[in-house]
Amino acid sequence: MDINRRDFLQIAMALGLIGATGTGTNLFAGEVGKERIKNLTFHDIVDFEATGSATLLHICDLHAHIKPLYWREPSTLISAKNLVGTPGFICGESFEKYYGIEVGSLDQYFDTHNNFELLAKKFGKMGGIAHMKPIIEHIKKERGEKNVLLLDSGDTWQGTAVALKTQGEAIVDAQNYLGVDVMVGHWEFTYGKERVMELIEKLNGEFISQNVLDNDPFSDTFEESVFPPYTIKEIGGSKIGIIGQSFPFTSTANPKRFTENWSFALRHESLQEHVNHLRTKESVDCVVLLSHDGFSVDQELAKKVKGVDFILSGHTHDPSPKPIVINDTVILIAGSHGKYIGRLDIEFKNKKVSNYHFKLMPVASNLIPADKAGERLISDAYKPFDKELNEVLGTTKGLLYKRDTFYSTFDALIGQAIQAKMKSDIVFTPGYRWGTTLLPNDKILKDNVYEMTAITYPEVYTFELKGSVIAKLMEDITDNVFNANPLLQQGGDMSRLTGANYSIKISAKSGERISDFKIGGKPLDPKKTYRVSSWGGNLQSAGENLEKATPAVYEVVSDYIRQQKVVDISMKPNVKVLDFDCGCPPKGAKC
């Protein structure tokens, strides 16, 4: 965090996590280091150089994780060569170098996969609404409650068992507890149109989106905005216009049935119109875009739309300690899963933004005393489901993590479970970015399985596909993930495969990236018919002889872990990248 870098390095040294030279030779600080952690104060987290009169607090991609969790950042984060090593596509050592992060620091733990297991034992879990609340309340007390807004970039209502089982209501309760003023959406829409509207009624804040239109030709509101496109808030004596931007690819990334007759798109032309209206007709002092486009897409959007002061981004889960500035638009993003609260202080002069100050505040839950009301809210939400969710299914021998471009151990576990149940040749698991992390030797609870699979369309489908169709599907998926134009990337990482392995050359032409594709250790036969299982997407629509049995993925995985008792998932991926020598390349792609 740019303002508090010195403080965090001093804290890390005091903990014995790094030596005075910053070489990381003293990562094992033993009991002394653990004891010193207790001496960290709340001030070390919230320390900030206040600026101006207005404060925007920003959260994104909570994915319904209202309790603290472990969350490991990716050890492979690769895109097209022109994007690799740029904000949104940086990880590991490249991230540390780009942002000036020291080995063993709290920043390293929150922002990278490096030394994750060691630092997890030192610093403990992250996030949790009961630990976010004290930060928010501290800032409101410091700045004055009327001078602070809490903005949420979406992907908030979905991702855990308690969210799924209450159809999002428990998470709206959590938002109301935190004091969310304005939000946009993406996974929220997978509860269906009617439920979305019900939850918006329960939300104390506003739900806005300029890019979701009524597409029903028989409707009285045909081609009009489904939600208010913007809102105007007066804080700190200034007038701020906030425009909403929900995920533009919702109807293709998720089943269309949930948003039938709603049209989603980027709509930068209408966005420009709203910016102009707020500037000229409403005379706002500042325009903020509250977005769920994704960090790289919003960087491209800033090149197309003029007059936006700040974009508060979401969707891609990136932590970005420093702002990105493009054509005078400042782009900020606050990680995921409640790990961070972004604080943006704004100073105005002559009805314009004259200065700003930003910091990501780490929600290091072991270092922040829990708010009692938040603990009660969590307890009440989970209580009806405690018996099911607290069941110990087994233990994990190694690290179970989610986020990665090609492969993760939690996804491998899901794929193995499905393959064992459905007797498939190959299993496709979606490249969702949300989930959780379990440390080696941790117990695996039923709750943890839901944290990886809690969606409203959990069916596992089994069907037949020709080898030639599988090959084409993989090239199509690859073109989406690695397209050189961020505006043509519809989100998510590569689909994970079980029962198969392949090589990939990302810089190759579209349709020619994948080679040496094998299923069951044998080369893919274009003419052969394979038994395929998938979940969380629409792959079954391309198949033939669809089986009637469609068990819920969380039950399939839970049964498998019960049978195995101890799971031991390899950290070695089943994908070989031919044109990159490491998983976290810097700009220029030379590792």
Side-chain angles (χ1 to χ4, degrees):
M1 305 338 111
D2 51 340
I3 300 305
N4 216 21
R5 178 74 56 211
R6 182 186 68 255
D7 296 340
F8 280 139
L9 292 181
Q10 290 174 346
I11 291 168
M13 287 183 183
L15 293 173
L17 292 176
I18 61 174
T21 61
T23 60
T25 57
N26 194 22
L27 279 169
F28 296 94
E31 295 303 318
V32 175
K34 292 178 183 178
E35 185 63 30
R36 286 175 178 169
I37 286 177
K38 298 177 183 178
N39 296 328
L40 291 177
T41 66
F42 180 70
H43 175 75
D44 296 315
I45 299 294
V46 299
D47 185 35
F48 187 83
E49 186 179 310
T51 301
S53 56
T55 295
L56 302 182
L57 301 181
H58 179 225
I59 59 175
C60 55
D61 299 284
L62 182 69
H63 280 290
H65 281 81
I66 59 177
K67 297 191 295 187
L69 78 162
Y70 292 112
W71 176 254
R72 176 188 184 268
E73 293 295 331
S75 49
T76 300
L77 186 56
I78 295 176
S79 188
K81 190 173 182 178
N82 61 303
L83 298 174
V84 157
T86 64
F89 298 101
I90 317 177
C91 69
E93 294 82 1
S94 299
F95 193 103
E96 292 170 4
K97 184 176 181 180
Y98 189 93
Y99 290 108
I101 290 174
E102 295 289 340
V103 173
S105 67
L106 189 64
D107 293 340
Q108 185 187 47
Y109 175 47
F110 268 64
D111 292 341
T112 80
H113 70 283
N114 292 336
N115 298 316
F116 183 81
E117 294 174 38
L118 290 172
L119 295 176
K121 294 174 182 177
K122 296 292 181 184
F123 289 113
K125 292 186 176 182
M126 310 160 171
I129 59 168
H131 303 276
M132 299 167 71
K133 183 72 168 182
I135 296 176
I136 295 168
E137 290 303 306
H138 169 85
I139 296 169
K140 287 184 175 180
K141 184 176 180 180
E142 173 197 337
R143 300 286 279 174
E145 188 167 351
K146 293 183 179 179
N147 300 323
V148 179
L149 290 176
L150 176 57
L151 308 182
D152 184 340
S153 283
D155 271 5
T156 304
W157 298 348
Q158 173 277 335
T160 61
V162 73
L164 183 65
K165 291 175 180 294
T166 64
Q167 292 188 287
E169 185 167 355
I171 315 306
V172 172
D173 290 343
Q175 287 179 297
N176 290 339
Y177 158 74
L178 291 176
V180 169
D181 292 294
V182 189
M183 73 173 294
V184 295
H186 169 207
W187 274 93
E188 284 75 11
F189 297 118
T190 62
Y191 288 111
K193 293 162 54 176
E194 182 177 345
R195 184 57 176 167
V196 165
M197 293 306 191
E198 291 173 352
L199 292 174
I200 289 173
E201 285 296 314
K202 296 176 183 293
L203 180 71
N204 292 340
E206 298 178 61
F207 192 106
I208 62 172
S209 287
Q210 74 88 24
N211 63 326
V212 184
L213 302 185
D214 185 340
N215 199 33
D216 183 355
F218 300 102
S219 171
D220 293 335
T221 56
F222 178 55
E223 293 189 338
E224 294 181 10
S225 294
V226 174
F227 308 101
Y230 63 81
T231 185
I232 299 172
K233 302 288 187 181
E234 292 193 24
I235 60 170
S238 299
K239 200 173 179 182
I240 299 178
I242 305 168
I243 305 172
Q245 182 86 353
S246 288
F247 185 52
F249 301 111
T250 295
S251 58
T252 54
N254 307 101
K256 288 181 173 61
R257 67 179 183 272
F258 295 124
T259 54
E260 188 177 0
N261 293 324
W262 285 0
S263 173
F264 295 78
L266 193 65
R267 307 193 199 284
H268 65 275
E269 298 94 343
S270 59
L271 174 58
Q272 184 67 71
E273 292 173 3
H274 290 305
V275 173
N276 296 343
H277 173 80
L278 288 169
R279 291 286 188 193
T280 60
K281 301 296 184 181
E282 301 292 348
S283 299
V284 300
D285 305 316
C286 173
V287 174
V288 174
L289 179 64
L290 184 62
S291 168
H292 198 84
D293 290 332
F295 199 33
S296 58
V297 171
D298 280 329
Q299 292 173 55
E300 291 298 308
L301 191 65
K303 299 174 185 177
K304 295 179 176 292
V305 179
K306 309 301 180 185
V308 177
D309 293 295
F310 300 99
I311 299 179
L312 303 184
S313 190
H315 176 61
T316 42
H317 295 196
D318 305 283
S320 184
K322 296 178 183 178
I324 305 300
V325 182
I326 296 179
N327 293 343
D328 297 324
T329 296
V330 179
I331 308 167
L332 311 166
I333 191 167
S336 64
H337 296 84
K339 285 203 314 179
Y340 281 114
I341 295 173
R343 174 174 174 175
L344 173 65
D345 278 17
I346 309 172
E347 185 175 349
F348 297 93
K349 187 175 182 180
N350 299 326
K351 292 186 67 63
K352 292 182 179 180
V353 175
S354 60
N355 194 16
Y356 69 91
H357 195 198
F358 171 72
K359 174 185 174 180
L360 286 180
M361 295 188 169
V363 186
S365 49
N366 276 17
L367 309 180
I368 303 171
D371 177 69
K372 298 301 181 185
E375 288 185 318
R376 288 194 298 272
L377 187 153
I378 294 168
S379 177
D380 291 344
Y382 273 86
K383 190 174 182 179
F385 318 110
D386 275 346
K387 183 177 180 181
E388 177 191 3
L389 300 184
N390 288 332
E391 179 191 356
V392 177
L393 304 172
T395 59
T396 177
K397 188 174 180 180
L399 186 75
L400 288 180
Y401 66 95
K402 169 63 183 178
R403 184 73 206 281
D404 196 277
T405 300
F406 298 102
Y407 172 91
S408 73
T409 51
F410 228 133
D411 283 318
L413 172 60
I414 293 170
Q416 289 179 18
I418 293 173
Q419 188 173 42
K421 173 74 173 180
M422 309 308 293
K423 310 301 181 188
S424 310
D425 296 314
I426 183 173
V427 176
F428 284 77
T429 290
Y432 299 152
R433 295 187 180 97
W434 47 267
T436 190
T437 301
L438 295 181
L439 302 180
N441 301 314
D442 272 356
K443 295 177 180 177
I444 307 173
L445 305 181
K446 181 73 174 287
D447 198 24
N448 300 136
V449 173
Y450 273 111
E451 288 170 339
M452 302 303 298
T453 58
I455 61 175
T456 55
Y457 48 107
E459 298 84 5
V460 174
Y461 295 97
T462 302
F463 46 92
E464 293 179 348
L465 282 179
K466 289 282 189 182
S468 57
V469 176
I470 293 174
K472 186 179 186 306
L473 283 168
M474 284 299 296
E475 289 288 359
D476 289 345
I477 294 168
T478 301
D479 194 49
N480 167 40
V481 175
F482 301 110
N483 199 294
N485 183 352
L487 299 179
L488 298 179
Q489 295 181 1
Q490 297 183 15
D493 293 314
M494 275 293 289
S495 293
R496 284 75 159 95
L497 302 184
T498 302
N501 56 278
Y502 62 92
S503 297
I504 182 169
K505 187 175 183 180
I506 293 166
S507 57
K509 293 181 180 179
S510 175
E512 300 178 6
R513 292 188 176 98
I514 293 176
S515 61
D516 196 27
F517 197 110
K518 295 180 179 179
I519 296 180
K522 298 179 180 180
L524 178 73
D525 184 346
K527 297 181 180 180
K528 182 177 178 179
T529 297
Y530 292 92
R531 183 175 172 84
V532 179
S533 292
S534 70
W535 70 281
N538 194 38
L539 189 61
Q540 69 278 2
S541 63
E544 298 178 346
N545 297 321
L546 183 67
E547 288 196 359
K548 292 183 179 180
T550 56
V553 61
Y554 35 77
E555 299 301 344
V556 172
V557 177
S558 296
D559 287 343
Y560 181 77
I561 298 171
R562 289 188 191 101
Q563 294 166 8
Q564 297 295 311
K565 294 184 174 58
V566 177
V567 298
D568 185 10
I569 308 297
S570 173
M571 294 284 285
K572 184 178 180 181
N574 58 344
V575 181
K576 183 178 181 180
V577 182
L578 300 177
D579 47 352
F580 293 92
D581 294 327
C582 67
C584 294
K587 193 171 183 178
K590 293 182 180 179
C591 301

PDB file of all heavy atoms in Angstrom, residues 12 114 119 200 213 241 286 316 324 350 380 427 447 450 473 486 490 501 523 590:
ATOM      1  N   ALA A  12       6.768  -6.085   9.416  1.00  0.00           N
ATOM      2  CA  ALA A  12       7.308  -7.379   8.992  1.00  0.00           C
ATOM      3  C   ALA A  12       8.655  -7.657   9.653  1.00  0.00           C
ATOM      4  O   ALA A  12       8.939  -8.773  10.080  1.00  0.00           O
ATOM      5  CB  ALA A  12       7.450  -7.413   7.474  1.00  0.00           C
ATOM      6  N   ASN A 114       3.367 -16.233  -3.100  1.00  0.00           N
ATOM      7  CA  ASN A 114       4.691 -16.546  -2.569  1.00  0.00           C
ATOM      8  C   ASN A 114       4.685 -16.684  -1.049  1.00  0.00           C
ATOM      9  O   ASN A 114       4.117 -15.846  -0.345  1.00  0.00           O
ATOM     10  CB  ASN A 114       5.694 -15.460  -2.984  1.00  0.00           C
ATOM     11  CG  ASN A 114       5.955 -15.460  -4.472  1.00  0.00           C
ATOM     12  OD1 ASN A 114       5.774 -16.485  -5.141  1.00  0.00           O
ATOM     13  ND2 ASN A 114       6.361 -14.323  -5.015  1.00  0.00           N
ATOM     14  N   LEU A 119       3.214 -17.623   5.555  1.00  0.00           N
ATOM     15  CA  LEU A 119       2.626 -16.367   5.981  1.00  0.00           C
ATOM     16  C   LEU A 119       1.197 -16.560   6.481  1.00  0.00           C
ATOM     17  O   LEU A 119       0.734 -15.801   7.349  1.00  0.00           O
ATOM     18  CB  LEU A 119       2.668 -15.357   4.840  1.00  0.00           C
ATOM     19  CG  LEU A 119       4.085 -14.947   4.407  1.00  0.00           C
ATOM     20  CD1 LEU A 119       4.031 -14.013   3.211  1.00  0.00           C
ATOM     21  CD2 LEU A 119       4.862 -14.323   5.553  1.00  0.00           C
ATOM     22  N   ILE A 200     -33.260  -6.556  -4.153  1.00  0.00           N
ATOM     23  CA  ILE A 200     -33.021  -5.110  -4.248  1.00  0.00           C
ATOM     24  C   ILE A 200     -33.952  -4.355  -3.313  1.00  0.00           C
ATOM     25  O   ILE A 200     -33.564  -3.345  -2.698  1.00  0.00           O
ATOM     26  CB  ILE A 200     -33.182  -4.643  -5.708  1.00  0.00           C
ATOM     27  CG1 ILE A 200     -32.013  -5.161  -6.557  1.00  0.00           C
ATOM     28  CG2 ILE A 200     -33.261  -3.117  -5.789  1.00  0.00           C
ATOM     29  CD1 ILE A 200     -32.161  -4.899  -8.037  1.00  0.00           C
ATOM     30  N   LEU A 213     -30.582  -3.436 -20.352  1.00  0.00           N
ATOM     31  CA  LEU A 213     -31.797  -2.914 -20.966  1.00  0.00           C
ATOM     32  C   LEU A 213     -32.889  -3.967 -21.044  1.00  0.00           C
ATOM     33  O   LEU A 213     -32.619  -5.170 -21.116  1.00  0.00           O
ATOM     34  CB  LEU A 213     -31.502  -2.416 -22.392  1.00  0.00           C
ATOM     35  CG  LEU A 213     -30.433  -1.332 -22.556  1.00  0.00           C
ATOM     36  CD1 LEU A 213     -30.364  -0.895 -24.007  1.00  0.00           C
ATOM     37  CD2 LEU A 213     -30.677  -0.154 -21.637  1.00  0.00           C
ATOM     38  N   GLY A 241     -21.614  12.183  -9.092  1.00  0.00           N
ATOM     39  CA  GLY A 241     -22.461  11.336  -9.922  1.00  0.00           C
ATOM     40  C   GLY A 241     -21.843   9.955 -10.043  1.00  0.00           C
ATOM     41  O   GLY A 241     -20.671   9.827 -10.420  1.00  0.00           O
ATOM     42  N   CYS A 286     -17.892  15.555  -9.714  1.00  0.00           N
ATOM     43  CA  CYS A 286     -17.079  14.358  -9.931  1.00  0.00           C
ATOM     44  C   CYS A 286     -17.957  13.267 -10.520  1.00  0.00           C
ATOM     45  O   CYS A 286     -19.122  13.119 -10.120  1.00  0.00           O
ATOM     46  CB  CYS A 286     -16.478  13.911  -8.592  1.00  0.00           C
ATOM     47  SG  CYS A 286     -15.610  12.338  -8.607  1.00  0.00           S
ATOM     48  N   THR A 316     -12.528  -9.140 -11.894  1.00  0.00           N
ATOM     49  CA  THR A 316     -11.332  -9.933 -12.150  1.00  0.00           C
ATOM     50  C   THR A 316     -10.520 -10.231 -10.884  1.00  0.00           C
ATOM     51  O   THR A 316      -9.476 -10.889 -10.969  1.00  0.00           O
ATOM     52  CB  THR A 316     -10.436  -9.242 -13.191  1.00  0.00           C
ATOM     53  OG1 THR A 316     -10.371  -7.841 -12.924  1.00  0.00           O
ATOM     54  CG2 THR A 316     -10.986  -9.448 -14.587  1.00  0.00           C
ATOM     55  N   ILE A 324      -4.302   3.011 -11.566  1.00  0.00           N
ATOM     56  CA  ILE A 324      -3.930   3.072 -12.974  1.00  0.00           C
ATOM     57  C   ILE A 324      -4.589   4.327 -13.542  1.00  0.00           C
ATOM     58  O   ILE A 324      -5.796   4.517 -13.371  1.00  0.00           O
ATOM     59  CB  ILE A 324      -4.430   1.837 -13.742  1.00  0.00           C
ATOM     60  CG1 ILE A 324      -3.933   0.549 -13.069  1.00  0.00           C
ATOM     61  CG2 ILE A 324      -4.009   1.890 -15.197  1.00  0.00           C
ATOM     62  CD1 ILE A 324      -2.440   0.412 -12.984  1.00  0.00           C
ATOM     63  N   ASN A 350     -12.894  24.461  -7.169  1.00  0.00           N
ATOM     64  CA  ASN A 350     -13.634  25.022  -8.303  1.00  0.00           C
ATOM     65  C   ASN A 350     -14.500  23.968  -8.985  1.00  0.00           C
ATOM     66  O   ASN A 350     -14.534  23.852 -10.210  1.00  0.00           O
ATOM     67  CB  ASN A 350     -12.670  25.653  -9.314  1.00  0.00           C
ATOM     68  CG  ASN A 350     -11.872  26.798  -8.727  1.00  0.00           C
ATOM     69  OD1 ASN A 350     -12.377  27.543  -7.873  1.00  0.00           O
ATOM     70  ND2 ASN A 350     -10.625  26.940  -9.150  1.00  0.00           N
ATOM     71  N   ASP A 380     -26.334 -16.208  13.262  1.00  0.00           N
ATOM     72  CA  ASP A 380     -27.762 -16.378  12.984  1.00  0.00           C
ATOM     73  C   ASP A 380     -27.991 -16.873  11.558  1.00  0.00           C
ATOM     74  O   ASP A 380     -28.881 -17.697  11.313  1.00  0.00           O
ATOM     75  CB  ASP A 380     -28.506 -15.054  13.204  1.00  0.00           C
ATOM     76  CG  ASP A 380     -28.570 -14.653  14.664  1.00  0.00           C
ATOM     77  OD1 ASP A 380     -28.312 -15.513  15.535  1.00  0.00           O
ATOM     78  OD2 ASP A 380     -28.867 -13.473  14.941  1.00  0.00           O
ATOM     79  N   VAL A 427     -13.516 -34.634 -18.010  1.00  0.00           N
ATOM     80  CA  VAL A 427     -14.411 -33.764 -17.250  1.00  0.00           C
ATOM     81  C   VAL A 427     -13.996 -32.314 -17.472  1.00  0.00           C
ATOM     82  O   VAL A 427     -12.815 -31.969 -17.378  1.00  0.00           O
ATOM     83  CB  VAL A 427     -14.371 -34.085 -15.744  1.00  0.00           C
ATOM     84  CG1 VAL A 427     -15.239 -33.101 -14.959  1.00  0.00           C
ATOM     85  CG2 VAL A 427     -14.819 -35.523 -15.486  1.00  0.00           C
ATOM     86  N   ASP A 447     -19.050 -27.188   4.156  1.00  0.00           N
ATOM     87  CA  ASP A 447     -19.088 -25.760   3.864  1.00  0.00           C
ATOM     88  C   ASP A 447     -18.022 -25.380   2.842  1.00  0.00           C
ATOM     89  O   ASP A 447     -18.253 -24.564   1.948  1.00  0.00           O
ATOM     90  CB  ASP A 447     -18.899 -24.960   5.154  1.00  0.00           C
ATOM     91  CG  ASP A 447     -19.346 -23.513   5.024  1.00  0.00           C
ATOM     92  OD1 ASP A 447     -20.194 -23.228   4.155  1.00  0.00           O
ATOM     93  OD2 ASP A 447     -18.865 -22.668   5.802  1.00  0.00           O
ATOM     94  N   TYR A 450     -19.088 -26.283  -0.680  1.00  0.00           N
ATOM     95  CA  TYR A 450     -20.021 -25.277  -1.198  1.00  0.00           C
ATOM     96  C   TYR A 450     -19.285 -24.012  -1.619  1.00  0.00           C
ATOM     97  O   TYR A 450     -19.668 -23.360  -2.596  1.00  0.00           O
ATOM     98  CB  TYR A 450     -21.064 -24.918  -0.135  1.00  0.00           C
ATOM     99  CG  TYR A 450     -22.280 -25.809  -0.102  1.00  0.00           C
ATOM    100  CD1 TYR A 450     -22.504 -26.680   0.955  1.00  0.00           C
ATOM    101  CD2 TYR A 450     -23.238 -25.761  -1.113  1.00  0.00           C
ATOM    102  CE1 TYR A 450     -23.639 -27.484   1.006  1.00  0.00           C
ATOM    103  CE2 TYR A 450     -24.372 -26.552  -1.075  1.00  0.00           C
ATOM    104  CZ  TYR A 450     -24.572 -27.420  -0.010  1.00  0.00           C
ATOM    105  OH  TYR A 450     -25.685 -28.210   0.029  1.00  0.00           O
ATOM    106  N   LEU A 473     -13.973 -26.932 -29.389  1.00  0.00           N
ATOM    107  CA  LEU A 473     -14.424 -26.260 -28.171  1.00  0.00           C
ATOM    108  C   LEU A 473     -13.239 -25.698 -27.386  1.00  0.00           C
ATOM    109  O   LEU A 473     -13.288 -24.569 -26.890  1.00  0.00           O
ATOM    110  CB  LEU A 473     -15.215 -27.239 -27.291  1.00  0.00           C
ATOM    111  CG  LEU A 473     -16.645 -27.549 -27.725  1.00  0.00           C
ATOM    112  CD1 LEU A 473     -17.176 -28.742 -26.939  1.00  0.00           C
ATOM    113  CD2 LEU A 473     -17.541 -26.333 -27.529  1.00  0.00           C
ATOM    114  N   PRO A 486      -8.822  -7.007 -24.744  1.00  0.00           N
ATOM    115  CA  PRO A 486      -9.541  -7.279 -23.494  1.00  0.00           C
ATOM    116  C   PRO A 486     -11.060  -7.198 -23.636  1.00  0.00           C
ATOM    117  O   PRO A 486     -11.790  -7.867 -22.899  1.00  0.00           O
ATOM    118  CB  PRO A 486      -9.021  -6.194 -22.543  1.00  0.00           C
ATOM    119  CG  PRO A 486      -7.716  -5.778 -23.100  1.00  0.00           C
ATOM    120  CD  PRO A 486      -7.847  -5.915 -24.586  1.00  0.00           C
ATOM    121  N   GLN A 490     -14.369 -12.620 -22.268  1.00  0.00           N
ATOM    122  CA  GLN A 490     -15.633 -12.601 -21.551  1.00  0.00           C
ATOM    123  C   GLN A 490     -15.506 -12.999 -20.090  1.00  0.00           C
ATOM    124  O   GLN A 490     -16.499 -13.182 -19.393  1.00  0.00           O
ATOM    125  CB  GLN A 490     -16.644 -13.504 -22.262  1.00  0.00           C
ATOM    126  CG  GLN A 490     -16.971 -13.009 -23.659  1.00  0.00           C
ATOM    127  CD  GLN A 490     -18.017 -13.848 -24.347  1.00  0.00           C
ATOM    128  OE1 GLN A 490     -18.714 -14.645 -23.730  1.00  0.00           O
ATOM    129  NE2 GLN A 490     -18.133 -13.674 -25.647  1.00  0.00           N
ATOM    130  N   ASN A 501      -4.689 -33.968 -20.928  1.00  0.00           N
ATOM    131  CA  ASN A 501      -3.586 -33.023 -20.812  1.00  0.00           C
ATOM    132  C   ASN A 501      -3.258 -32.491 -22.203  1.00  0.00           C
ATOM    133  O   ASN A 501      -3.573 -33.130 -23.220  1.00  0.00           O
ATOM    134  CB  ASN A 501      -2.349 -33.658 -20.164  1.00  0.00           C
ATOM    135  CG  ASN A 501      -1.865 -34.889 -20.892  1.00  0.00           C
ATOM    136  OD1 ASN A 501      -2.389 -35.985 -20.710  1.00  0.00           O
ATOM    137  ND2 ASN A 501      -0.851 -34.704 -21.751  1.00  0.00           N
ATOM    138  N   PRO A 523      -3.470 -39.927 -27.697  1.00  0.00           N
ATOM    139  CA  PRO A 523      -3.786 -38.748 -28.524  1.00  0.00           C
ATOM    140  C   PRO A 523      -5.271 -38.660 -28.836  1.00  0.00           C
ATOM    141  O   PRO A 523      -5.941 -39.681 -29.080  1.00  0.00           O
ATOM    142  CB  PRO A 523      -2.965 -38.995 -29.796  1.00  0.00           C
ATOM    143  CG  PRO A 523      -1.820 -39.842 -29.346  1.00  0.00           C
ATOM    144  CD  PRO A 523      -2.397 -40.755 -28.285  1.00  0.00           C
ATOM    145  N   LYS A 590       9.378 -12.191 -20.777  1.00  0.00           N
ATOM    146  CA  LYS A 590      10.654 -12.876 -20.614  1.00  0.00           C
ATOM    147  C   LYS A 590      10.883 -13.157 -19.142  1.00  0.00           C
ATOM    148  O   LYS A 590      11.126 -12.252 -18.350  1.00  0.00           O
ATOM    149  CB  LYS A 590      11.788 -12.025 -21.191  1.00  0.00           C
ATOM    150  CG  LYS A 590      11.722 -11.871 -22.703  1.00  0.00           C
ATOM    151  CD  LYS A 590      12.901 -11.056 -23.229  1.00  0.00           C
ATOM    152  CE  LYS A 590      12.820 -10.920 -24.750  1.00  0.00           C
ATOM    153  NZ  LYS A 590      13.935 -10.117 -25.295  1.00  0.00           N
TER     154      LYS A 590
END
